[in-house]
Amino acid sequence: MGNCCCHEKQPRRHPLQKNIGHNSGVDGKLAHILETNPRSHVDIIRTRPTPTRTNVPRCNKIVVALYNYMARDVSDVSFKKGDRMEVLDDSDGDWWTVTHLLSKETGLIPGNFVAKEQSVESEDWFFEEVSRKEADKLLLAAENPRGTFLVRPSEHNPQGYSLSVKDWEEMREYHVKHYKIKPLDNGGFYISTNKTFLTLTELVQAYSKNAFGLCHVLSKPCPKPQPQMWDLGPGVRDNWEIPRIQIKLVKKLGRGNFGEVYYGKWKDLTVAVKTLREGTMSTAAFLQEAAIMKKLRHKQLVALYAVCSKEEPIYIVQEYMCKGSLLDFLRKDEGRTLGFEDLIYIAFQVASGMEYLESKQLIHRDLAARNVLIGENMMAKICDFGLARVIEDNEYCPKQGSRFPVKWTAPEAIVYGRFSIKSDVWSYGILLMELFTFGQVPYPGMHGREVIEQVEKGYRMPKPTSHQLPDDIYKTMISCWDGKPENRPTFEFLTHYFEGFNVTSEIPYREVPD
Ligand code: AMP
């Protein structure tokens, strides 16, 4: 260590790839190794060592904090939004060594909490990693007035940007307008050719004074959600087996397939703690699977932070998702009032998380609305990926188990144990049905055995008559339930399908009155 690279920002990638993580080299390796030997990678992948503070050459990059951060152990430094720091080493993707220019403390900080001083990334209105759909969600938050805005890299034009503005129209109430910001050959930018600007900042300043044909003058930058953390702190990044005593179980959240789940604390941080019932799986197999899960980074996958596996019950410490499981959410008040656009957004996010697993050649095996969690701003994340593989409980066995999710599992997986990403696509189709029927149990009125027999004979769930489900989405569900796995769509296709789903012809999505 000790080399100072202070890289400038990496060239932009497609937004769908953005949160795949800083260690893309490691991820690439993971994919390759999984291809050749699904079990071998655990020993081979090494995380980078935490940077040391001594003998680090200075590189004079000054960064400014975009958020507050509270130190979590002895090696990191606290800071407040707006604080300035000198970067000593940013060669580790996650944790940078800095000297705080006010407190003079030297230590580690999360690199995604800061941006280079006076760069466009340091502006409150610049959102480096949001898609158009996410921008809609963030801007439409009730507390944002008309004219709240953000600027984001364009999803389609690598040199361009998009300006997203919250607007109001009488019939449609609040909605978001998106404007293309095009680059000029000489380095400037414009929205309309008769008004050009040298920088994005100048453009934003001008449109904050005068609408110049925009739907509304830019009134206030959209509040930025805190960036994703992938570990609890620099000290437990690589040593993620933590002492049980550090975990406080505060409140029981529910009971799942594996055991009880708690809202808990690690120091001051809120976490979810999954406890694994004794005998559910072997500790060795679980740890091997957890090592894969720890390496997976995508904003639509729940982050695994740490484990306590020295004694039973094993604790899995993960990111807390404040609205709980998608299934419960859909059945309760807030979920029941979701609009069609929200449902499409959730379908898109789940497909996008699964697309990432698909790209890593990993299989979920238990994809269902109960295994998707919901957070702020309708953020959906898949959980429990990989765990189904290591369950030893007989109740979870395809042939005999009462807990085996028959209604979600593809026929070839039930009958021959042939689980694949295509059997996950089948499950995704069932999840879509759960989503668009607000959490109805699939194949209503049918028992598991009957489902297996009927599905084998070609029966598929009909288009629900109680909801206004567009024909095209129903066709997509049916394609996920093709008897031949190879004919089912890929998650890559499904992501693009829901990302581009045209909601302009939107009908209010609700139950059809009798
Ligand atoms: P599970 O064991 O995943 O089926 O979880 C049981 C219940 O615990 C779920 O239905 C959720 O309500 C809750 N839960 C599980 N994981 C989390 C999490 N990471 N954040 C918040 N709630 C969770």
Side-chain angles (χ1 to χ4, degrees), residues 67 80 163 219 288 372 470:
Y67 314 87
K80 289 214 173 69
L163 169 66
S219 61
Q288 209 167 22
V372 171

mmCIF file of all heavy atoms in Angstrom, residues 67 80 163 219 288 372 470:
data_model
loop_
_atom_site.group_PDB
_atom_site.id
_atom_site.type_symbol
_atom_site.label_atom_id
_atom_site.label_comp_id
_atom_site.label_asym_id
_atom_site.label_seq_id
_atom_site.Cartn_x
_atom_site.Cartn_y
_atom_site.Cartn_z
ATOM 1 N N TYR A 67 -22.166 14.787 2.740
ATOM 2 C CA TYR A 67 -23.066 14.327 3.808
ATOM 3 C C TYR A 67 -22.310 14.385 5.127
ATOM 4 O O TYR A 67 -21.084 14.503 5.136
ATOM 5 C CB TYR A 67 -23.484 12.855 3.592
ATOM 6 C CG TYR A 67 -23.904 12.534 2.188
ATOM 7 C CD1 TYR A 67 -22.963 12.153 1.229
ATOM 8 C CD2 TYR A 67 -25.234 12.610 1.813
ATOM 9 C CE1 TYR A 67 -23.353 11.863 -0.071
ATOM 10 C CE2 TYR A 67 -25.632 12.318 0.517
ATOM 11 C CZ TYR A 67 -24.677 11.952 -0.425
ATOM 12 O OH TYR A 67 -25.054 11.671 -1.702
ATOM 13 N N LYS A 80 -18.609 16.718 8.765
ATOM 14 C CA LYS A 80 -19.952 17.262 8.521
ATOM 15 C C LYS A 80 -20.036 17.693 7.056
ATOM 16 O O LYS A 80 -19.006 18.002 6.438
ATOM 17 C CB LYS A 80 -20.170 18.498 9.382
ATOM 18 C CG LYS A 80 -20.333 18.213 10.846
ATOM 19 C CD LYS A 80 -21.325 19.239 11.425
ATOM 20 C CE LYS A 80 -21.680 18.934 12.853
ATOM 21 N NZ LYS A 80 -20.560 19.153 13.760
ATOM 22 N N LEU A 163 -31.757 17.180 -17.104
ATOM 23 C CA LEU A 163 -32.261 18.022 -16.015
ATOM 24 C C LEU A 163 -33.675 17.534 -15.713
ATOM 25 O O LEU A 163 -34.518 17.496 -16.608
ATOM 26 C CB LEU A 163 -32.288 19.488 -16.480
ATOM 27 C CG LEU A 163 -33.015 20.481 -15.576
ATOM 28 C CD1 LEU A 163 -32.287 20.638 -14.240
ATOM 29 C CD2 LEU A 163 -33.127 21.849 -16.268
ATOM 30 N N SER A 219 -36.166 25.732 -8.515
ATOM 31 C CA SER A 219 -36.380 26.367 -7.204
ATOM 32 C C SER A 219 -35.408 25.849 -6.140
ATOM 33 O O SER A 219 -34.831 26.628 -5.396
ATOM 34 C CB SER A 219 -37.821 26.177 -6.746
ATOM 35 O OG SER A 219 -38.123 24.811 -6.601
ATOM 36 N N GLN A 288 -19.515 -20.168 3.507
ATOM 37 C CA GLN A 288 -19.063 -20.183 2.124
ATOM 38 C C GLN A 288 -20.028 -19.354 1.250
ATOM 39 O O GLN A 288 -19.611 -18.568 0.413
ATOM 40 C CB GLN A 288 -19.037 -21.625 1.636
ATOM 41 C CG GLN A 288 -17.992 -21.842 0.580
ATOM 42 C CD GLN A 288 -17.769 -23.325 0.333
ATOM 43 O OE1 GLN A 288 -18.645 -24.148 0.630
ATOM 44 N NE2 GLN A 288 -16.636 -23.667 -0.202
ATOM 45 N N VAL A 372 -38.239 -9.860 -1.233
ATOM 46 C CA VAL A 372 -37.849 -8.525 -1.718
ATOM 47 C C VAL A 372 -38.203 -7.568 -0.596
ATOM 48 O O VAL A 372 -39.268 -7.699 0.018
ATOM 49 C CB VAL A 372 -38.610 -8.162 -3.017
ATOM 50 C CG1 VAL A 372 -38.385 -6.711 -3.402
ATOM 51 C CG2 VAL A 372 -38.196 -9.091 -4.159
ATOM 52 N N PRO A 470 -52.409 -4.530 -17.790
ATOM 53 C CA PRO A 470 -52.252 -4.429 -19.247
ATOM 54 C C PRO A 470 -51.901 -5.784 -19.868
ATOM 55 O O PRO A 470 -51.134 -6.554 -19.296
ATOM 56 C CB PRO A 470 -51.088 -3.440 -19.401
ATOM 57 C CG PRO A 470 -51.032 -2.694 -18.119
ATOM 58 C CD PRO A 470 -51.520 -3.640 -17.062
#
